[in-house]
Every structure is written in structure tokens, then in C-alpha cells.
Coordinates of all heavy atoms in Angstrom, one line a residue:
M1 N -35.7 200.7 31.8 CA -36.7 199.5 32.0 C -36.9 199.4 33.5 O -36.0 199.3 34.3 CB -36.1 198.3 31.4 CG -37.1 197.1 31.5 SD -36.3 195.6 30.9 CE -36.5 195.8 29.2
T2 N -38.2 199.4 33.9 CA -38.5 199.2 35.2 C -39.2 197.8 35.4 O -40.0 197.4 34.5 CB -39.5 200.3 35.8 OG1 -40.6 200.4 34.9 CG2 -38.8 201.6 35.8
Y3 N -39.0 197.2 36.5 CA -39.6 196.0 36.8 C -40.6 196.1 37.9 O -40.3 196.6 39.0 CB -38.5 194.9 37.3 CG -37.5 194.6 36.3 CD1 -36.3 195.2 36.2 CD2 -37.9 193.7 35.2 CE1 -35.4 194.8 35.3 CE2 -37.0 193.3 34.3 CZ -35.7 193.8 34.3 OH -34.8 193.5 33.3
T4 N -41.8 195.7 37.7 CA -42.9 196.0 38.7 C -43.1 194.7 39.5 O -43.7 194.7 40.6 CB -44.2 196.2 38.0 OG1 -44.5 195.1 37.0 CG2 -44.1 197.5 37.2
D5 N -42.5 193.5 39.2 CA -42.6 192.3 39.9 C -41.5 192.1 41.0 O -41.6 191.1 41.7 CB -42.6 191.1 38.9 CG -43.8 191.1 38.1 OD1 -44.8 191.7 38.4 OD2 -43.7 190.5 37.0
D6 N -40.6 193.1 41.1 CA -39.5 192.9 42.1 C -39.8 193.6 43.4 O -39.0 194.2 44.0 CB -38.2 193.4 41.4 CG -37.7 192.5 40.4 OD1 -38.2 191.3 40.3 OD2 -36.8 192.9 39.7
N7 N -41.0 193.5 43.8 CA -41.5 194.1 45.1 C -41.1 193.3 46.4 O -41.3 193.8 47.5 CB -42.9 194.5 45.1 CG -43.3 195.5 44.0 OD1 -42.4 196.2 43.6 ND2 -44.5 195.5 43.6
I8 N -40.8 192.1 46.2 CA -40.5 191.2 47.2 C -39.1 191.4 47.7 O -38.1 191.3 46.9 CB -40.7 189.6 46.9 CG1 -42.2 189.5 46.5 CG2 -40.3 188.7 48.0 CD1 -42.5 188.1 46.1
S9 N -38.8 191.6 48.9 CA -37.5 191.8 49.4 C -36.9 190.4 49.9 O -37.5 189.7 50.7 CB -37.4 192.7 50.6 OG -38.2 192.3 51.7
L10 N -35.8 189.9 49.2 CA -35.3 188.7 49.5 C -34.5 188.8 50.8 O -33.9 189.8 51.2 CB -34.4 188.2 48.4 CG -35.1 188.0 47.0 CD1 -34.1 187.6 46.0 CD2 -36.2 187.0 47.1
K11 N -34.5 187.6 51.6 CA -33.7 187.6 52.8 C -32.3 187.3 52.6 O -31.9 186.1 52.6 CB -34.4 186.5 53.8 CG -35.8 186.8 54.1 CD -36.4 185.7 54.9 CE -37.9 185.9 55.2 NZ -38.4 184.8 55.9
S12 N -31.6 188.2 52.1 CA -30.1 188.1 51.7 C -29.3 187.6 52.9 O -29.2 188.2 53.9 CB -29.6 189.4 51.1 OG -28.3 189.2 50.7
G13 N -28.6 186.5 52.8 CA -27.7 186.0 53.8 C -28.3 185.4 55.0 O -27.7 185.2 55.9
K14 N -29.6 185.2 54.9 CA -30.3 184.6 56.1 C -30.4 183.1 55.9 O -30.7 182.6 54.8 CB -31.7 185.2 56.2 CG -31.7 186.7 56.5 CD -31.1 187.0 57.9 CE -31.1 188.6 58.0 NZ -30.5 188.9 59.3
H15 N -30.3 182.4 57.0 CA -30.5 180.9 57.0 C -31.9 180.6 57.0 O -32.8 181.2 57.5 CB -29.7 180.3 58.1 CG -28.3 180.5 58.1 ND1 -27.4 179.7 57.5 CD2 -27.6 181.6 58.6 CE1 -26.2 180.1 57.6 NE2 -26.2 181.3 58.4
L16 N -32.2 179.4 56.4 CA -33.6 178.8 56.4 C -33.8 178.3 57.9 O -33.0 177.7 58.5 CB -33.8 177.7 55.5 CG -33.7 178.0 54.0 CD1 -33.6 176.8 53.2 CD2 -34.9 178.8 53.6
T17 N -35.1 178.6 58.4 CA -35.4 178.0 59.7 C -36.2 176.7 59.5 O -36.5 176.3 58.4 CB -36.4 179.0 60.3 OG1 -37.7 179.1 59.6 CG2 -35.9 180.4 60.5
Y18 N -36.3 176.0 60.6 CA -37.0 174.7 60.5 C -38.4 174.8 60.0 O -38.9 174.0 59.3 CB -37.0 174.0 61.9 CG -37.6 172.6 61.8 CD1 -37.0 171.6 61.0 CD2 -38.6 172.3 62.7 CE1 -37.6 170.3 61.0 CE2 -39.2 171.0 62.6 CZ -38.7 170.1 61.8 OH -39.2 168.8 61.8
A19 N -39.1 175.9 60.4 CA -40.5 176.1 60.0 C -40.5 176.4 58.5 O -41.4 175.9 57.7 CB -41.0 177.4 60.7
E20 N -39.5 177.1 58.0 CA -39.4 177.3 56.4 C -39.2 176.0 55.8 O -39.7 175.7 54.7 CB -38.3 178.3 56.2 CG -38.7 179.7 56.5 CD -37.5 180.7 56.3 OE1 -36.4 180.4 56.6 OE2 -37.8 181.9 55.9
R21 N -38.3 175.2 56.3 CA -38.1 173.9 55.7 C -39.4 173.0 55.7 O -39.6 172.3 54.7 CB -36.9 173.2 56.5 CG -35.6 173.8 56.3 CD -34.5 173.0 57.0 NE -33.2 173.4 56.6 CZ -32.5 174.4 57.2 NH1 -33.0 175.0 58.3 NH2 -31.3 174.7 56.8
N22 N -40.2 173.1 56.7 CA -41.4 172.4 56.7 C -42.4 173.0 55.6 O -43.1 172.2 55.0 CB -42.2 172.5 58.1 CG -41.5 171.5 59.1 OD1 -41.4 170.3 58.8 ND2 -41.3 172.0 60.3
K23 N -42.3 174.3 55.5 CA -43.1 174.9 54.3 C -42.7 174.4 53.0 O -43.4 174.1 52.1 CB -43.1 176.4 54.5 CG -43.9 177.0 55.6 CD -43.8 178.5 55.7 CE -44.6 179.0 56.9 NZ -44.5 180.4 57.0
I24 N -41.3 174.3 52.8 CA -40.8 173.8 51.5 C -41.3 172.4 51.3 O -41.7 172.1 50.2 CB -39.2 173.9 51.5 CG1 -38.7 175.3 51.5 CG2 -38.7 173.1 50.4 CD1 -37.3 175.4 51.8
E25 N -41.2 171.6 52.3 CA -41.8 170.2 52.2 C -43.2 170.1 51.7 O -43.6 169.5 50.8 CB -41.6 169.4 53.5 CG -41.9 168.0 53.4 CD -41.5 167.2 54.6 OE1 -40.8 167.8 55.6 OE2 -41.8 166.0 54.7
A26 N -44.0 171.0 52.4 CA -45.4 171.1 52.0 C -45.7 171.6 50.6 O -46.5 171.1 49.9 CB -46.2 171.9 53.0
Y27 N -44.9 172.7 50.3 CA -45.0 173.3 49.0 C -44.6 172.2 47.8 O -45.3 172.2 46.7 CB -44.2 174.6 48.8 CG -44.8 175.7 49.6 CD1 -44.0 176.7 50.1 CD2 -46.2 175.8 49.9 CE1 -44.5 177.7 50.8 CE2 -46.7 176.9 50.6 CZ -45.8 177.8 51.1 OH -46.3 178.9 51.8
L28 N -43.6 171.4 48.1 CA -43.2 170.5 47.1 C -44.2 169.4 46.9 O -44.4 168.9 45.8 CB -41.9 169.8 47.5 CG -40.6 170.7 47.4 CD1 -39.4 170.0 48.1 CD2 -40.3 171.1 46.0
E29 N -45.0 169.1 48.0 CA -46.0 168.1 47.8 C -47.2 168.7 47.0 O -47.9 167.9 46.4 CB -46.5 167.6 49.2 CG -45.6 166.8 49.9 CD -46.0 166.4 51.4 OE1 -47.1 166.8 51.8 OE2 -45.2 165.8 52.1
Q30 N -47.3 170.0 47.0 CA -48.3 170.7 46.1 C -47.7 170.9 44.7 O -48.4 171.6 43.9 CB -48.7 172.0 46.8 CG -49.3 171.9 48.0 CD -49.6 173.3 48.8 OE1 -49.5 174.3 48.1 NE2 -49.8 173.2 50.0
N31 N -46.5 170.4 44.5 CA -45.9 170.5 43.1 C -45.6 171.9 42.7 O -45.7 172.3 41.5 CB -46.7 169.8 42.1 CG -46.7 168.3 42.3 OD1 -45.8 167.8 42.7 ND2 -47.9 167.7 42.1
L32 N -45.3 172.8 43.7 CA -44.9 174.2 43.3 C -43.5 174.2 42.9 O -42.6 173.4 43.3 CB -45.1 175.1 44.6 CG -46.4 175.3 45.1 CD1 -46.4 176.3 46.3 CD2 -47.4 175.9 44.0
S33 N -43.2 175.2 42.1 CA -41.8 175.3 41.4 C -40.9 175.9 42.6 O -41.4 176.6 43.5 CB -41.8 176.2 40.3 OG -42.1 177.5 40.6
Y34 N -39.6 175.8 42.4 CA -38.6 176.4 43.3 C -38.8 177.9 43.3 O -38.7 178.6 44.4 CB -37.2 176.1 43.0 CG -36.9 174.6 43.1 CD1 -35.7 174.1 42.4 CD2 -37.6 173.7 43.9 CE1 -35.5 172.7 42.5 CE2 -37.2 172.4 44.0 CZ -36.2 171.9 43.4 OH -35.8 170.6 43.5
R35 N -39.1 178.5 42.2 CA -39.2 179.9 42.1 C -40.5 180.4 42.9 O -40.5 181.4 43.6 CB -39.4 180.4 40.5 CG -38.1 180.3 39.8 CD -38.3 180.9 38.4 NE -37.0 180.6 37.7 CZ -36.0 181.6 37.6 NH1 -36.1 182.6 38.2 NH2 -34.9 181.3 36.9
E36 N -41.6 179.6 42.8 CA -42.8 180.0 43.5 C -42.5 179.9 45.0 O -43.0 180.7 45.8 CB -44.0 179.2 43.0 CG -45.3 179.6 43.8 CD -45.7 181.0 43.5 OE1 -45.4 181.7 42.6 OE2 -46.4 181.5 44.5
I37 N -41.9 178.8 45.4 CA -41.6 178.5 46.8 C -40.7 179.7 47.3 O -40.9 180.3 48.4 CB -40.9 177.2 47.0 CG1 -41.9 176.1 46.7 CG2 -40.5 177.1 48.4 CD1 -41.2 174.7 46.6
G38 N -39.7 180.1 46.5 CA -38.8 181.2 46.9 C -39.6 182.4 47.1 O -39.3 183.2 47.9
R39 N -40.6 182.8 46.2 CA -41.4 184.0 46.3 C -42.2 184.0 47.6 O -42.3 184.9 48.2 CB -42.3 184.1 45.1 CG -41.7 184.7 43.8 CD -42.7 184.9 42.7 NE -42.1 184.7 41.5 CZ -42.2 183.7 40.7 NH1 -43.1 182.8 41.0 NH2 -41.6 183.6 39.6
R40 N -42.7 182.8 47.8 CA -43.6 182.7 49.0 C -42.8 182.9 50.3 O -43.3 183.4 51.3 CB -44.4 181.4 49.1 CG -45.4 181.4 47.9 CD -46.2 180.2 48.0 NE -47.2 180.2 46.9 CZ -48.3 179.3 46.9 NH1 -48.5 178.5 47.9 NH2 -49.2 179.4 45.9
L41 N -41.6 182.4 50.3 CA -40.8 182.4 51.5 C -39.9 183.6 51.6 O -39.2 183.9 52.7 CB -39.9 181.1 51.7 CG -40.8 179.9 51.8 CD1 -39.8 178.6 51.9 CD2 -41.6 179.9 53.1
G42 N -39.7 184.3 50.5 CA -38.7 185.5 50.5 C -37.3 185.1 50.4 O -36.4 185.8 50.8
H43 N -37.1 183.9 49.7 CA -35.7 183.5 49.5 C -35.5 183.3 47.9 O -36.4 183.1 47.2 CB -35.4 182.1 50.1 CG -35.3 182.3 51.7 ND1 -34.1 182.7 52.3 CD2 -36.2 182.0 52.6 CE1 -34.3 182.7 53.6 NE2 -35.5 182.3 53.8
H44 N -34.2 183.4 47.5 CA -34.0 183.2 46.0 C -34.2 181.7 45.7 O -34.0 180.8 46.5 CB -32.5 183.5 45.8 CG -32.2 183.7 44.4 ND1 -31.8 182.7 43.6 CD2 -32.2 184.8 43.6 CE1 -31.5 183.1 42.4 NE2 -31.8 184.4 42.3
H45 N -34.6 181.5 44.5 CA -35.0 180.2 44.1 C -33.8 179.3 44.1 O -33.9 178.0 44.4 CB -35.6 180.2 42.7 CG -34.6 180.6 41.6 ND1 -33.8 179.8 40.9 CD2 -34.5 181.8 41.1 CE1 -33.1 180.4 40.1 NE2 -33.6 181.7 40.1
S46 N -32.6 179.7 44.0 CA -31.4 178.9 44.1 C -31.1 178.4 45.6 O -30.7 177.3 45.7 CB -30.1 179.6 43.6 OG -29.8 180.7 44.4
T47 N -31.6 179.2 46.5 CA -31.5 178.7 47.9 C -32.4 177.6 48.1 O -32.1 176.6 48.8 CB -31.9 179.9 48.9 OG1 -31.0 181.0 48.6 CG2 -31.9 179.5 50.3
I48 N -33.6 177.6 47.5 CA -34.6 176.6 47.7 C -34.1 175.3 46.9 O -34.1 174.2 47.5 CB -35.9 177.0 47.0 CG1 -36.5 178.3 47.7 CG2 -37.0 175.8 47.2 CD1 -36.6 178.3 49.1
S49 N -33.5 175.5 45.8 CA -32.9 174.4 45.0 C -31.8 173.6 45.9 O -31.8 172.5 46.0 CB -32.4 174.9 43.7 OG -31.7 173.8 43.0
K50 N -30.9 174.4 46.5 CA -29.8 173.9 47.2 C -30.4 173.2 48.4 O -29.9 172.1 48.8 CB -28.8 175.0 47.6 CG -28.0 175.4 46.4 CD -27.2 176.6 46.9 CE -26.5 177.3 45.7 NZ -25.9 178.6 46.0
E51 N -31.4 173.7 49.1 CA -31.9 173.1 50.3 C -32.6 171.8 49.9 O -32.4 170.8 50.7 CB -33.0 174.0 51.0 CG -33.8 173.4 52.1 CD -32.9 173.0 53.2 OE1 -31.8 173.6 53.4 OE2 -33.3 172.1 53.9
V52 N -33.3 171.8 48.8 CA -33.9 170.5 48.4 C -32.9 169.4 48.1 O -33.0 168.3 48.5 CB -34.9 170.7 47.2 CG1 -35.3 169.4 46.6 CG2 -36.0 171.6 47.6
K53 N -31.8 169.9 47.4 CA -30.7 169.0 47.2 C -30.1 168.3 48.4 O -29.9 167.1 48.5 CB -29.7 169.6 46.3 CG -28.5 168.9 45.9 CD -27.4 169.6 45.2 CE -26.2 168.9 44.9 NZ -25.2 169.6 44.3
H54 N -29.9 169.2 49.4 CA -29.2 168.7 50.6 C -30.2 168.0 51.5 O -29.8 167.2 52.3 CB -28.7 169.9 51.4 CG -27.5 170.6 50.7 ND1 -27.2 171.9 51.0 CD2 -26.8 170.2 49.6 CE1 -26.2 172.3 50.2 NE2 -26.0 171.3 49.4
G55 N -31.5 168.2 51.4 CA -32.4 167.6 52.4 C -33.2 166.5 51.7 O -34.2 165.9 52.3
T56 N -32.8 166.0 50.5 CA -33.5 164.9 49.8 C -32.9 163.6 50.4 O -31.7 163.4 50.4 CB -33.3 165.0 48.3 OG1 -34.0 166.2 47.9 CG2 -34.0 163.9 47.6
V57 N -33.8 162.7 50.7 CA -33.4 161.4 51.2 C -34.0 160.3 50.3 O -35.1 160.5 49.6 CB -34.0 161.1 52.7 CG1 -33.3 162.1 53.6 CG2 -35.4 161.3 52.8
R58 N -33.4 159.1 50.2 CA -33.8 158.0 49.4 C -34.6 157.1 50.3 O -34.2 156.7 51.3 CB -32.7 157.3 48.8 CG -33.1 156.2 47.8 CD -32.0 155.6 47.1 NE -31.5 156.5 46.1 CZ -30.4 156.5 45.5 NH1 -29.5 155.6 45.9 NH2 -30.0 157.4 44.6
Q59 N -35.8 156.8 49.8 CA -36.6 155.9 50.7 C -37.0 154.7 49.8 O -37.1 154.7 48.6 CB -38.0 156.6 51.0 CG -37.8 157.8 51.9 CD -39.1 158.4 52.1 OE1 -40.0 158.5 51.3 NE2 -39.2 159.2 53.3
I60 N -37.1 153.5 50.5 CA -37.6 152.3 49.8 C -39.0 152.3 49.8 O -39.7 152.3 50.9 CB -37.0 151.0 50.5 CG1 -35.5 151.0 50.4 CG2 -37.6 149.8 49.9 CD1 -34.9 149.9 51.2
K61 N -39.7 152.4 48.6 CA -41.1 152.5 48.5 C -41.7 151.2 48.5 O -42.8 151.0 49.1 CB -41.4 153.2 47.2 CG -42.7 153.9 47.1 CD -42.9 154.7 45.8 CE -44.1 155.5 45.9 NZ -44.2 156.4 44.7
Q62 N -41.1 150.2 47.9 CA -41.6 148.8 47.8 C -40.4 147.9 47.7 O -39.5 148.1 47.1 CB -42.5 148.8 46.6 CG -43.2 147.4 46.5 CD -44.1 147.4 45.2 OE1 -44.0 148.3 44.4 NE2 -44.9 146.4 45.1
R63 N -40.6 146.8 48.4 CA -39.6 145.7 48.5 C -40.3 144.4 48.1 O -41.3 144.0 48.8 CB -38.9 145.7 49.8 CG -37.8 144.7 49.9 CD -37.2 144.7 51.3 NE -36.0 143.8 51.2 CZ -35.0 143.8 52.0 NH1 -34.9 144.7 52.9 NH2 -34.1 142.9 51.9
Q64 N -39.8 143.8 47.1 CA -40.4 142.5 46.7 C -39.4 141.4 46.7 O -38.2 141.6 46.2 CB -41.0 142.5 45.3 CG -42.3 143.4 45.3 CD -42.9 143.5 44.0 OE1 -42.3 143.1 43.0 NE2 -44.1 144.0 43.9
I65 N -39.7 140.2 47.1 CA -38.8 139.1 47.0 C -39.3 138.1 46.0 O -40.5 137.6 46.1 CB -38.5 138.4 48.3 CG1 -38.0 139.4 49.3 CG2 -37.6 137.1 48.2 CD1 -37.9 138.9 50.8
A66 N -38.6 137.9 44.9 CA -39.0 137.0 43.9 C -39.0 135.5 44.3 O -38.2 135.2 45.3 CB -38.2 137.2 42.7
P67 N -39.6 134.6 43.7 CA -39.6 133.1 44.1 C -38.1 132.6 44.0 O -37.8 131.7 44.7 CB -40.5 132.4 43.1 CG -41.4 133.5 42.6 CD -40.6 134.8 42.7
S68 N -37.3 133.2 43.2 CA -35.9 132.8 43.1 C -35.0 133.3 44.3 O -33.9 132.9 44.5 CB -35.3 133.3 41.8 OG -35.2 134.7 41.8
G69 N -35.6 134.2 45.2 CA -34.9 134.7 46.3 C -34.3 136.1 46.0 O -33.7 136.6 46.9
K70 N -34.3 136.6 44.8 CA -33.7 137.9 44.4 C -34.7 138.9 45.1 O -35.9 138.9 45.0 CB -33.7 138.0 43.0 CG -33.0 139.3 42.6 CD -32.6 139.3 41.1 CE -31.9 140.6 40.8 NZ -31.4 140.7 39.5
V71 N -34.1 140.0 45.6 CA -34.8 141.1 46.3 C -34.8 142.2 45.3 O -33.8 142.7 44.8 CB -34.1 141.4 47.6 CG1 -34.8 142.6 48.2 CG2 -34.0 140.3 48.6
Y72 N -36.0 142.7 45.0 CA -36.2 143.9 44.3 C -36.7 145.0 45.1 O -37.7 144.9 45.9 CB -37.2 143.7 43.2 CG -36.8 142.7 42.1 CD1 -37.1 141.3 42.3 CD2 -36.1 143.1 41.0 CE1 -36.7 140.3 41.3 CE2 -35.6 142.1 40.1 CZ -36.0 140.9 40.2 OH -35.6 139.9 39.3
E73 N -35.9 146.1 45.1 CA -36.3 147.3 46.0 C -36.6 148.5 45.0 O -35.9 148.8 44.1 CB -35.2 147.7 46.9 CG -35.0 146.7 48.0 CD -33.8 147.2 48.9 OE1 -33.0 148.1 48.5 OE2 -33.8 146.6 50.0
Y74 N -37.8 149.1 45.1 CA -38.1 150.2 44.4 C -38.0 151.5 45.2 O -38.7 151.5 46.2 CB -39.6 150.0 43.9 CG -39.7 148.8 43.0 CD1 -40.1 147.6 43.6 CD2 -39.4 148.8 41.6 CE1 -40.3 146.6 42.8 CE2 -39.5 147.7 40.9 CZ -39.9 146.6 41.4 OH -40.0 145.5 40.6
K75 N -37.1 152.3 44.8 CA -36.8 153.4 45.7 C -37.4 154.8 45.1 O -37.6 154.8 43.9 CB -35.2 153.6 45.8 CG -34.6 152.3 46.5 CD -33.2 152.4 46.4 CE -32.6 151.1 47.0 NZ -31.2 150.9 46.8
C76 N -37.6 155.7 46.0 CA -37.9 157.1 45.6 C -37.1 158.0 46.4 O -36.8 157.7 47.5 CB -39.4 157.3 45.6 SG -40.1 157.4 47.3
E77 N -37.0 159.2 45.8 CA -36.3 160.3 46.5 C -37.4 161.4 47.0 O -38.3 161.7 46.1 CB -35.2 160.9 45.7 CG -34.1 160.0 45.5 CD -32.9 160.6 44.8 OE1 -33.1 161.7 44.3 OE2 -31.8 159.9 44.6
K78 N -37.2 161.8 48.1 CA -38.2 162.8 48.7 C -37.4 163.8 49.6 O -36.6 163.4 50.3 CB -39.3 162.1 49.5 CG -40.4 163.0 50.0 CD -41.4 162.2 50.7 CE -42.5 163.2 51.2 NZ -43.5 162.5 52.0
Y79 N -37.9 165.1 49.5 CA -37.3 166.1 50.4 C -37.9 165.9 51.8 O -39.1 165.6 52.0 CB -37.6 167.4 49.9 CG -37.2 168.5 50.9 CD1 -35.8 168.8 51.1 CD2 -38.1 169.2 51.7 CE1 -35.4 169.8 52.0 CE2 -37.6 170.1 52.7 CZ -36.4 170.4 52.8 OH -35.9 171.3 53.7
S80 N -37.0 166.0 52.8 CA -37.4 165.9 54.2 C -36.9 167.1 55.0 O -35.7 167.4 54.9 CB -36.9 164.6 54.8 OG -36.9 164.6 56.2
A81 N -37.8 167.8 55.6 CA -37.5 169.0 56.4 C -36.5 168.6 57.5 O -35.5 169.3 57.9 CB -38.7 169.7 56.9
E82 N -36.8 167.4 58.2 CA -36.0 167.0 59.2 C -34.5 166.6 58.7 O -33.5 166.9 59.4 CB -36.5 165.6 59.9 CG -37.7 165.9 60.7 CD -38.4 164.7 61.2 OE1 -37.6 163.7 61.3 OE2 -39.5 164.7 61.6
A83 N -34.4 166.0 57.6 CA -33.1 165.8 57.0 C -32.4 167.0 56.7 O -31.1 167.1 56.9 CB -33.2 164.8 55.7
G84 N -33.1 168.0 56.1 CA -32.4 169.3 55.8 C -31.9 169.9 57.0 O -30.8 170.6 57.1
Q85 N -32.8 170.0 58.0 CA -32.3 170.6 59.4 C -31.2 169.9 60.0 O -30.2 170.5 60.5 CB -33.5 170.7 60.3 CG -33.3 171.4 61.6 CD -33.0 172.9 61.3 OE1 -33.7 173.5 60.5 NE2 -32.1 173.5 62.1
Y86 N -31.2 168.5 59.9 CA -30.1 167.8 60.5 C -28.8 168.0 59.8 O -27.7 168.3 60.4 CB -30.4 166.3 60.4 CG -29.3 165.4 60.9 CD1 -29.2 165.2 62.2 CD2 -28.4 164.8 60.0 CE1 -28.1 164.3 62.8 CE2 -27.4 164.0 60.5 CZ -27.3 163.8 61.9 OH -26.2 162.9 62.4
R87 N -28.9 168.1 58.4 CA -27.6 168.4 57.7 C -27.1 169.9 58.0 O -25.9 170.1 58.2 CB -27.9 168.3 56.2 CG -26.6 168.6 55.4 CD -26.8 168.1 54.0 NE -25.6 168.6 53.4 CZ -25.1 167.9 52.3 NH1 -25.7 166.9 51.8 NH2 -24.0 168.4 51.6
Y88 N -28.1 170.8 58.2 CA -27.7 172.2 58.5 C -27.0 172.2 59.9 O -26.0 172.8 60.1 CB -28.9 173.1 58.6 CG -28.6 174.5 59.1 CD1 -27.9 175.4 58.3 CD2 -29.1 174.9 60.4 CE1 -27.7 176.6 59.0 CE2 -28.9 176.1 60.8 CZ -28.1 177.0 60.1 OH -27.9 178.2 60.7
D89 N -27.7 171.5 60.9 CA -27.1 171.5 62.3 C -25.7 170.8 62.3 O -24.9 171.2 63.2 CB -28.0 170.7 63.1 CG -29.3 171.5 63.4 OD1 -29.3 172.7 63.2 OD2 -30.3 170.9 63.8
M90 N -25.4 169.8 61.5 CA -24.1 169.1 61.5 C -23.0 169.9 60.8 O -21.9 169.6 60.9 CB -24.3 167.7 60.9 CG -25.3 166.8 61.6 SD -25.2 167.1 63.5 CE -24.1 165.7 63.9
A91 N -23.4 170.9 60.0 CA -22.4 171.6 59.2 C -21.6 172.6 60.1 O -21.9 172.9 61.2 CB -23.0 172.4 58.1

């Protein structure tokens, strides 16, 4: 059995660059899958998945204070290339 779709050479053992992290952030905003991002960057989809996991930050999207004084915060998680690079640099 031959595979014709395996023409992309993966960057085995290579670290992601800051430019690649920025591309990941942009591709995620376009709702591309980890597999498609990996194909475009030449990395395995599990590398993309791990990077997104490590570079995801929690942001407060909306904060409301009820008349009773109780604070409601609506949070969302988003991948940040800067957070991913920072975590890589600190390792």
C-alpha cells in the first residue's frame, strides 16, 4: 500500500519559532484544525496541539457587577503566541 499524501517532510525534533507561533494564532482564528495547521507549518499535529495547550491563556471577556454587589466574570480561553513563546523561553 502506498500513500500519496505523505509528501510533506515534517520537521522532526525542531522547535517552533515565534513566527510559527504567530501563524498558529492566525490559523486558529480562521478555525483551522490542528492537522491542517501542522500540514501548513510542516509539524506533526500533536506538536500543534501541545503548543496550543501550553500557550492558551484565560481572559476575562466581560465583567458585570450585580446590584447586590456580586461580581460576575465571563472568561474565555485563547491561544497567545506571546504566551507560548514565554513559556518556551522559561523552560
Side-chain angles (χ1 to χ4, degrees):
M1 178 186 283
T2 54
Y3 294 100
T4 58
D5 293 336
D6 288 345
N7 295 338
I8 298 174
S9 60
L10 298 177
K11 299 175 184 176
S12 178
K14 299 291 181 183
H15 297 271
L16 292 169
T17 64
Y18 183 62
E20 289 174 321
R21 287 182 171 92
N22 279 316
K23 288 180 183 179
I24 291 171
E25 187 172 350
Y27 290 150
L28 288 172
E29 289 177 5
Q30 296 173 18
N31 295 320
L32 295 181
S33 68
Y34 295 159
R35 287 182 187 273
E36 181 59 29
I37 294 171
R39 278 188 213 106
R40 291 184 182 196
L41 296 179
H43 288 280
H44 195 269
H45 65 89
S46 66
T47 301
I48 306 304
S49 173
K50 290 174 190 173
E51 173 60 27
V52 171
K53 178 181 174 185
H54 294 164
T56 297
V57 294
R58 182 175 289 164
Q59 298 176 333
I60 297 175
K61 202 170 191 179
Q62 183 179 10
R63 185 178 182 158
Q64 294 179 343
I65 301 174
S68 64
K70 186 170 181 175
V71 176
Y72 292 95
E73 293 180 343
Y74 300 95
K75 300 173 184 173
C76 70
E77 293 186 350
K78 183 179 178 184
Y79 174 74
S80 166
E82 290 180 15
Q85 186 66 40
Y86 179 79
R87 182 167 176 152
Y88 171 74
D89 291 341
M90 299 321 263

